[in-house]
CSV table of all heavy atoms in Angstrom, one decimal:
chain,number,residue,atom,x,y,z
A,227,GLU,N,5.6,10.2,6.3
A,227,GLU,CA,6.5,9.2,5.8
A,227,GLU,C,7.2,8.4,6.9
A,227,GLU,O,7.5,9.0,7.9
A,227,GLU,CB,7.6,9.9,4.9
A,227,GLU,CG,7.1,10.3,3.6
A,227,GLU,CD,6.4,9.2,2.7
A,227,GLU,OE1,7.1,8.2,2.5
A,227,GLU,OE2,5.3,9.4,2.5
A,249,LEU,N,3.2,-12.1,23.5
A,249,LEU,CA,4.3,-12.8,22.8
A,249,LEU,C,5.5,-12.0,22.7
A,249,LEU,O,5.5,-10.9,22.6
A,249,LEU,CB,3.8,-13.0,21.3
A,249,LEU,CG,2.4,-13.7,21.0
A,249,LEU,CD1,1.9,-13.6,19.6
A,249,LEU,CD2,2.5,-15.2,21.5
A,263,LEU,N,0.0,2.5,7.0
A,263,LEU,CA,-0.4,2.9,8.4
A,263,LEU,C,0.4,4.1,9.0
A,263,LEU,O,-0.3,5.0,9.6
A,263,LEU,CB,-0.2,1.7,9.4
A,263,LEU,CG,-1.2,0.5,9.4
A,263,LEU,CD1,-0.5,-0.7,10.0
A,263,LEU,CD2,-2.4,1.0,10.1
A,296,PRO,N,-0.3,-9.1,15.3
A,296,PRO,CA,-0.5,-8.4,16.5
A,296,PRO,C,-1.8,-7.5,16.5
A,296,PRO,O,-2.2,-7.1,15.5
A,296,PRO,CB,0.7,-7.6,16.6
A,296,PRO,CG,1.8,-8.2,15.7
A,296,PRO,CD,0.9,-8.8,14.6
A,304,ALA,N,8.3,-4.1,17.7
A,304,ALA,CA,8.5,-3.9,19.2
A,304,ALA,C,9.1,-5.1,19.6
A,304,ALA,O,9.2,-6.2,19.0
A,304,ALA,CB,7.2,-3.5,19.9
A,354,VAL,N,2.5,-12.3,-13.3
A,354,VAL,CA,2.6,-11.6,-11.9
A,354,VAL,C,3.3,-10.3,-12.0
A,354,VAL,O,4.6,-10.1,-12.5
A,354,VAL,CB,3.4,-12.6,-10.9
A,354,VAL,CG1,3.5,-11.9,-9.7
A,354,VAL,CG2,2.7,-14.0,-10.8
A,368,LEU,N,4.1,-19.8,-5.6
A,368,LEU,CA,2.8,-20.6,-5.6
A,368,LEU,C,2.3,-20.9,-6.9
A,368,LEU,O,1.8,-22.1,-7.2
A,368,LEU,CB,1.7,-19.8,-4.9
A,368,LEU,CG,1.9,-19.6,-3.3
A,368,LEU,CD1,1.0,-18.5,-2.8
A,368,LEU,CD2,1.7,-20.9,-2.7
A,373,GLY,N,1.9,-25.7,-11.0
A,373,GLY,CA,2.1,-26.1,-12.3
A,373,GLY,C,1.9,-25.2,-13.5
A,373,GLY,O,1.7,-25.6,-14.6
A,384,ALA,N,18.3,-5.6,-11.5
A,384,ALA,CA,18.5,-6.4,-10.4
A,384,ALA,C,17.3,-7.0,-10.0
A,384,ALA,O,17.4,-8.4,-9.7
A,384,ALA,CB,18.9,-5.4,-9.1
A,391,GLU,N,15.7,-16.1,-10.8
A,391,GLU,CA,16.0,-16.9,-9.8
A,391,GLU,C,14.9,-17.6,-9.1
A,391,GLU,O,14.9,-18.7,-8.6
A,391,GLU,CB,17.0,-16.3,-8.8
A,391,GLU,CG,18.3,-15.9,-9.4
A,391,GLU,CD,19.1,-15.0,-8.4
A,391,GLU,OE1,18.6,-14.5,-7.4
A,391,GLU,OE2,20.2,-14.7,-8.9
A,393,GLY,N,12.1,-18.5,-10.6
A,393,GLY,CA,11.8,-19.5,-11.4
A,393,GLY,C,10.8,-19.0,-12.6
A,393,GLY,O,10.1,-19.8,-13.2
A,397,VAL,N,10.7,-13.0,-17.9
A,397,VAL,CA,10.8,-11.7,-17.1
A,397,VAL,C,10.8,-10.6,-18.1
A,397,VAL,O,11.4,-10.5,-19.0
A,397,VAL,CB,11.9,-11.8,-16.2
A,397,VAL,CG1,11.9,-10.6,-15.3
A,397,VAL,CG2,11.9,-13.1,-15.3
A,401,GLU,N,10.8,-1.0,-16.6
A,401,GLU,CA,11.5,0.2,-16.9
A,401,GLU,C,12.0,0.4,-18.2
A,401,GLU,O,12.3,1.6,-18.7
A,401,GLU,CB,12.8,0.1,-16.0
A,401,GLU,CG,12.4,0.3,-14.4
A,401,GLU,CD,13.6,0.5,-13.7
A,401,GLU,OE1,14.7,0.5,-14.1
A,401,GLU,OE2,13.5,0.7,-12.4
A,430,GLY,N,-2.6,0.8,-11.6
A,430,GLY,CA,-2.1,1.8,-12.7
A,430,GLY,C,-1.9,1.2,-14.0
A,430,GLY,O,-2.7,0.5,-14.5
A,440,VAL,N,-4.8,-10.2,-21.3
A,440,VAL,CA,-5.4,-11.2,-20.6
A,440,VAL,C,-6.2,-12.2,-21.6
A,440,VAL,O,-6.7,-11.6,-22.7
A,440,VAL,CB,-6.5,-10.9,-19.6
A,440,VAL,CG1,-7.7,-10.0,-20.3
A,440,VAL,CG2,-7.1,-11.8,-18.7
A,444,GLY,N,-10.1,-15.3,-19.4
A,444,GLY,CA,-8.9,-15.1,-18.3
A,444,GLY,C,-9.4,-14.4,-17.0
A,444,GLY,O,-10.6,-13.9,-17.0
A,445,ARG,N,-8.6,-14.2,-16.0
A,445,ARG,CA,-9.0,-13.7,-14.7
A,445,ARG,C,-8.0,-12.8,-14.3
A,445,ARG,O,-6.9,-13.2,-14.1
A,445,ARG,CB,-9.3,-14.8,-13.6
A,445,ARG,CG,-10.4,-15.7,-13.9
A,445,ARG,CD,-10.2,-16.9,-14.9
A,445,ARG,NE,-9.3,-17.9,-14.2
A,445,ARG,CZ,-8.6,-18.9,-14.9
A,445,ARG,NH1,-8.5,-18.8,-16.2
A,445,ARG,NH2,-8.0,-19.8,-14.3
A,451,PHE,N,-2.8,-1.7,-4.7
A,451,PHE,CA,-2.4,-0.5,-5.5
A,451,PHE,C,-1.2,0.1,-5.1
A,451,PHE,O,-1.1,1.4,-4.9
A,451,PHE,CB,-3.6,0.5,-5.6
A,451,PHE,CG,-4.9,-0.1,-5.8
A,451,PHE,CD1,-5.8,-0.3,-4.7
A,451,PHE,CD2,-5.3,-0.8,-7.0
A,451,PHE,CE1,-7.1,-0.9,-4.8
A,451,PHE,CE2,-6.6,-1.3,-7.1
A,451,PHE,CZ,-7.5,-1.4,-6.0
A,471,VAL,N,-12.7,-9.7,-13.8
A,471,VAL,CA,-11.9,-8.9,-12.8
A,471,VAL,C,-12.3,-9.2,-11.3
A,471,VAL,O,-13.5,-9.1,-11.0
A,471,VAL,CB,-12.0,-7.4,-13.1
A,471,VAL,CG1,-11.3,-6.6,-12.0
A,471,VAL,CG2,-11.8,-7.0,-14.5
A,473,GLY,N,-11.8,-9.1,-7.2
A,473,GLY,CA,-11.0,-8.6,-6.2
A,473,GLY,C,-10.7,-9.5,-5.0
A,473,GLY,O,-11.3,-10.6,-4.9
A,495,THR,N,2.3,-24.9,5.0
A,495,THR,CA,3.4,-25.6,5.7
A,495,THR,C,3.8,-26.8,5.0
A,495,THR,O,5.0,-27.1,5.0
A,495,THR,CB,2.8,-26.0,7.1
A,495,THR,OG1,2.4,-24.7,7.7
A,495,THR,CG2,3.8,-26.6,7.9
A,536,PRO,N,14.5,-8.2,16.2
A,536,PRO,CA,15.0,-7.7,17.5
A,536,PRO,C,16.2,-8.2,18.1
A,536,PRO,O,17.1,-7.4,18.6
A,536,PRO,CB,13.8,-7.8,18.5
A,536,PRO,CG,12.6,-8.0,17.6
A,536,PRO,CD,13.1,-8.7,16.4
A,537,ALA,N,16.5,-9.4,18.0
A,537,ALA,CA,17.7,-10.0,18.6
A,537,ALA,C,19.0,-9.6,18.1
A,537,ALA,O,20.1,-9.7,18.7
A,537,ALA,CB,17.7,-11.6,18.6
Side-chain angles (χ1 to χ4, degrees):
E227 286 301 302
L249 304 170
L263 280 164
V354 179
L368 289 166
E391 292 167 358
V397 182
E401 289 191 355
V440 65
R445 294 83 78 197
F451 313 107
V471 180
T495 298

